[in-house]
Amino acid sequence: MECKSVEAAKFCRDFGPQLHLYSWAMFRGFKRRAPRAIKEIKKFAEKQMGTNDVRIDTRLNKHVWSCGIRNVPFRVRVRLSRKRNEDEDSSNKLYTLVTYVPVETFKGSQTKNVDE
């Protein structure tokens, strides 16, 4: 991703109904469903935000694993935040932090940009 400055590249976005975890894990073996859902969330975040370094928040990890390895939640709403990398040794200037956004219902939820 080409940006003139790192500050211009930083932003935050909420993704809602299109994260169907169950469809990503549906035809997998029982013991591979939750790990596969985490891998697919990372792949989705990498594609949407254009960074190779994707970090999953512990609350999102606990939510995906809340029903066990076999039964992943059907849907999840996440917030993707592209931030500056503070680690000087890293080759990437930016990283994406994926956090869990609790919602009561998914009806009418849309993708929206959020100010942090």
Side-chain angles (χ1 to χ4, degrees):
M1 173 176 194
E2 294 295 321
C3 268
K4 296 193 180 203
S5 73
V6 175
E7 289 298 321
K10 290 172 35 177
F11 75 98
C12 185
R13 183 178 285 166
D14 276 356
F15 286 93
Q18 66 261 52
L19 285 178
H20 297 282
L21 296 181
Y22 187 75
S23 65
W24 288 336
M26 190 167 36
F27 296 112
R28 308 284 178 236
F30 278 148
K31 299 300 181 181
R32 296 187 181 102
R33 287 187 179 187
R36 179 62 175 204
I38 294 292
K39 286 177 190 171
E40 291 293 331
I41 290 171
K42 283 186 173 185
K43 192 164 81 172
F44 175 79
E46 185 177 333
K47 182 180 176 185
Q48 292 295 323
M49 301 300 261
T51 60
N52 293 331
D53 189 6
V54 177
R55 301 174 189 179
I56 302 286
D57 189 40
T58 56
R59 287 179 52 211
L60 175 61
N61 193 35
K62 285 184 181 181
H63 179 71
V64 171
W65 284 83
S66 63
C67 299
I69 196 169
R70 297 171 62 163
N71 304 314
V72 297
F74 277 83
R75 293 180 185 165
V76 67
R77 186 168 179 88
V78 295
R79 178 170 292 154
L80 303 181
S81 304
R82 191 164 46 206
K83 298 185 176 190
R84 180 190 308 236
N85 202 347
E86 300 295 330
D87 188 17
E88 297 172 359
D89 300 333
S90 178
S91 61
N92 301 322
K93 291 182 181 178
L94 299 169
Y95 71 92
T96 301
L97 179 65
V98 186
T99 56
Y100 171 62
V101 178
V103 292
E104 292 182 15
T105 181
F106 288 99
K107 301 279 187 202
S109 60
Q110 298 286 323
T111 298
K112 59 183 177 181
N113 291 342
V114 178
D115 294 330
E116 277 192 308

